[in-house]
Each structure stands twice: as C-alpha cells, then as structure tokens.
Amino acid sequence: MLCKEINILAFESSCDDTSVALLRACEGDEFPKLISLSVQSQQEVHEKYGGVVPDLASRAHLRNLLPCLKKVLDESKINLSDVDLMASTHQPGLIGCLLIGHSAAKALSFLYDKPLLSCHHIEGHLMSVFLEHRPAYPLLAAVVSGGHTSLYLAKNHDDFEKLGVTLDDAIGEAFDKGAKVLGLPFPGGPEIDRLAKEGNPTRYKFGKVQTKNLDFSFSGHKSELVRLVQREGENLHHADAAASYQKALIDHLMDKIEIAIKSHSVRDLAIVGGVARNSELRLRLEELKNKNSISQWYAPSAQFCTDNAAMIGVLAYRKYLRKEFSNLSEDVHSTFRPNSKKKKIA
Ligand code: KG4
Ligand code: ZN
C-alpha cells in the first residue's frame, strides 16, 4: 500500500558543525528514516586557537551551509518543493551560528509555505538514539556532550524529565580542557581517548566528587590535573595522566548513572552526545550490562553522537506529531528558554 510521505529538511548549526539532513516518514510512523545527511566539520578552522571561535564559526556556517544543502538534495533526489517540513536548531548555542541555520529554515518555510519546526539542541541529542534503536521505557538517558551533561528519565518518546545536570563544566568540556593542560590538540576528547589506551588509569589518584542528588561536577578534576602537571613537571607520564584523568571523569558519570538506575528502576539506558563516542565509557556501560544492572544500553553510531542535523529531523518529526509548530518570528537563544508547555527538557 502506498503511504503519504512526509519529507523533513533539517538544519543544525548551533556550534562548530554545519549539518543538513533529509528524513522521510510515512504518515503514522513513530519515527522518520534518514535519507541523506551532510556534516561539514570546522575542526581546521578552530584547532589552531584551541577552541571554537564564535565569529569564525558563524562565517564557516555561512560558507558551508548551502553546499551541504545541495549535497543532501542531490543524494535524496528531491526538490525543495517536495519538502513538507522545515526544521532547525534555534537554541541553545552560539547566537551567530544558530542564526545561519535558523534563517535558512525560516526562509524556506516562508518561500514554500511549509511548517517551521524550531528545535532544542539537547532534545535533538536525546532523539539521536531513535535513528537506529528502539529502547524500552522507562528509559534513563544521559546527554554527554561538549556543552551539556545531564540525565533524564523518559516515560515515552515525548516525555523526558530532567533528573540532574552539571553544576559547572560539561564532561566534553572537561575532556577538552584536560587535553589542553596535557598539551594535546583540540578537540581533546578523542585525543585523551586515544592516549589513555596506552596508559595506566590507576597511576595518578583523583579525588571522588561529591555533589547533591543526580547533579554532576567536572571542573574539580580539571584543577587536580593542572596541579598534577605542575607537581610532576618533566616526570609526568602523559599516557598515565590521560588514562587517570579519563577514569576520574567517567567514574563520576557512572556513579550518578548507577544511582539513577537503582532509584528509578530502569532497565534500558541511552547515552548520547559527543562523549558517547568514548571507548572507555562504552566498556564501562558494557560492564554494567554484564553485571545485570541494566538489560541493554544504546548509543548512536559515531556520526550521530556529535552534532548533526539527522537528530534535529527526528525531533522535528516528533514535534510535528505533537503539533508544536513555530511561527516565522521565532528567535534564536543562546541558553534554554521554555517557549511551549513542554518545559521538561533543558
Ligand atoms: O555533541 P558534540 O558534537 O557537541 C556539543 O553539542 O557539545 O560533542 C563534542 C564533544 C567535544 O567536547 C569532544 O571532545 C567530545 O565531544 N568527544 C569525545 C570523544 N569524541 C568526541 N570525548 C571523549 N572521547 C571521545 N572519543
Ligand atoms: Zn551537541
């Protein structure tokens, strides 16, 4: 039987990845399928500065966005007039960066008279797991990215309740800052991951972080690493320091995840965001499963862990089903602002 197709065009430009995606659903589907994804990284632009430079990031989005769009349209073999929903990230993120993708989606929505769906970046990360998996509910979901670290309890696809959040640095930020302290290039997460494989994670001791409830704190470990580097000087064993630091960050994350699993009696766990690519974290999640603390854990494949428009397209489709449309005067916001009755995700 032929279905009524819904084509979703999604833009993501909240930080330093320019991304466009085309997804397709049949009316009545729970989730859309990814048809084409284009991601243009800006690593070359920012690495010499050791971090993302907002003005350069906006300009790079301006250069990269239309080539990404053209690639996606070519691969999907459709015209812009065949798109049914226009979607983009409008918060949180760097203002100049958000403006590029959001302006594109708004202009196309206006031009083709198609609904606009303004999406929250973190909700997008949470939806990234549904590109490939169907975890069971209740579901514990951890967002572990460069800008955010938070835990959610999901009762269904549309109801995510925030349980805890970082009180200072995000875990990815802690990886990046720690890498800088160790003289590694930006972005530091993958560098620490790689170097830690050659090191002894028990060589250097880091203190145990105490935070209330299910909140996190990662900045103390970075300060400990700075003191370690100063203390050891030329005697510092870099691989052992990377392994020990990585262990300290992941221990803290896993402590909170284990508490949340027990206190909310969840059996399935989803881990999303750039740090979900970390190999040590994946081993630790597998251990959790092997000791039967959870039934299964799910992480998106690498390309969907870091920022991408496919996850924004999934979220846009769920918002379409919930009839959460935006109007053409919708603004962008650097931090979260609840603009609808669904205030649970931030
Ligand atoms: O989700 P993402 O692309 O951007 C944000 O929304 O923040 O995440 C980027 C973060 C960076 O901090 C990067 O260092 C980290 O993800 N990351 C990793 C790994 N791959 C990326 N951290 C640890 N281990 C990795 N393998
Ligand atoms: Zn992100």
Side-chain angles (χ1 to χ4, degrees):
M1 198 174 71
L2 280 179
C3 76
K4 180 178 177 276
E5 277 185 356
I6 300 164
N7 288 308
I8 307 137
L9 182 63
F11 296 90
E12 158 61 42
S13 66
S14 63
C15 190
D16 59 341
D17 288 298
T18 314
S19 183
V20 181
L22 194 288
L23 297 91
R24 186 170 295 149
C26 275
E27 186 84 64
D29 284 352
E30 283 194 321
F31 291 100
K33 286 190 181 62
L34 179 63
I35 305 299
S36 170
L37 171 66
S38 174
V39 182
Q40 179 63 57
S41 154
Q42 300 180 6
Q43 194 169 330
E44 281 175 14
V45 177
H46 303 291
E47 63 190 351
K48 57 179 168 290
Y49 302 100
V52 178
V53 183
D55 277 5
L56 298 182
S58 312
R59 286 164 185 265
H61 285 308
L62 195 58
R63 288 194 301 274
N64 297 336
L65 191 106
L66 292 181
C68 281
L69 173 60
K70 184 169 178 339
K71 186 166 172 273
V72 162
L73 292 174
D74 288 349
E75 268 181 24
S76 313
K77 297 187 178 56
I78 67 166
N79 298 313
L80 278 169
S81 54
D82 301 322
V83 173
D84 301 287
L85 305 173
M86 304 293 178
S88 62
T89 305
H90 78 130
Q91 65 173 341
L94 298 167
I95 289 295
C97 294
L98 289 165
L99 283 171
I100 307 292
H102 199 45
S103 302
K106 284 173 87 166
L108 293 173
S109 161
F110 177 67
L111 196 61
Y112 291 95
D113 194 21
K114 294 293 158 68
L116 173 72
L117 295 135
S118 303
C119 294
H120 188 286
H121 183 77
I122 305 307
E123 282 189 61
H125 273 300
L126 288 167
M127 289 295 115
S128 65
V129 76
F130 299 102
L131 282 159
E132 300 157 294
H133 308 291
R134 293 291 178 271
Y137 296 101
L139 171 72
L140 183 71
V143 179
V144 288
S145 76
H148 304 270
T149 303
S150 29
L151 278 179
Y152 296 86
L153 179 67
K155 298 194 185 84
N156 58 54
H157 306 325
D158 303 305
D159 189 352
F160 283 70
E161 180 191 352
K162 190 159 73 179
L163 301 177
V165 67
T166 183
L167 303 173
D168 41 56
D169 290 350
I171 187 167
E173 193 179 354
F175 268 103
D176 294 340
K177 287 179 175 173
K180 208 168 181 177
V181 173
L182 293 172
L184 298 168
F186 174 84
E191 297 293 327
I192 290 192
D193 192 353
R194 184 188 48 74
L195 187 58
K197 289 196 175 83
E198 299 159 20
N200 171 7
T202 59
R203 163 92 174 259
Y204 300 114
K205 303 281 176 250
F206 284 78
K208 193 170 165 62
V209 182
Q210 304 288 351
T211 51
K212 271 202 244 157
N213 309 321
L214 292 170
D215 289 335
F216 302 94
S217 169
F218 295 101
S219 65
H221 285 328
K222 191 214 68 193
S223 307
E224 281 187 82
L225 182 65
V226 170
R227 289 195 293 275
L228 174 71
V229 170
Q230 286 166 349
R231 196 174 63 236
E232 295 288 317
E234 299 214 325
N235 295 325
L236 183 80
H237 190 289
H238 277 72
D240 289 354
S244 304
Y245 180 63
Q246 173 175 270
K247 180 177 181 308
L249 299 178
I250 293 178
D251 279 351
H252 181 46
L253 177 69
M254 293 304 293
D255 281 351
K256 297 292 177 168
I257 285 179
E258 291 203 46
I259 296 170
I261 286 169
K262 284 192 192 116
S263 50
H264 294 278
S265 308
V266 294
R267 298 294 297 150
D268 274 18
L269 170 67
I271 189 123
V272 300
V275 181
R277 292 170 80 147
N278 184 268
S279 49
E280 179 61 24
L281 175 57
R282 288 178 175 235
L283 287 177
R284 297 283 294 273
L285 292 168
E286 199 54 27
E287 277 172 21
L288 210 57
K289 184 183 149 189
N290 291 341
K291 66 178 190 185
N292 202 26
S293 299
I294 49 171
S295 304
Q296 191 55 276
W297 63 274
Y298 300 90
S301 50
Q303 60 171 335
F304 304 129
C305 284
T306 41
D307 292 348
N308 68 86
M311 66 187 197
I312 300 304
V314 178
L315 173 60
Y317 181 70
R318 294 304 307 175
K319 286 173 87 81
Y320 158 76
L321 294 180
R322 303 197 295 259
K323 300 188 173 26
E324 289 178 15
F325 299 107
S326 304
N327 63 45
L328 288 175
S329 60
E330 184 77 69
D331 204 350
V332 295
H333 307 285
S334 57
T335 52
F336 175 61
R337 288 188 184 198
N339 62 349
S340 74
K341 60 184 186 318
K342 284 214 62 75
K343 295 183 183 174
K344 288 183 175 166
I345 297 180

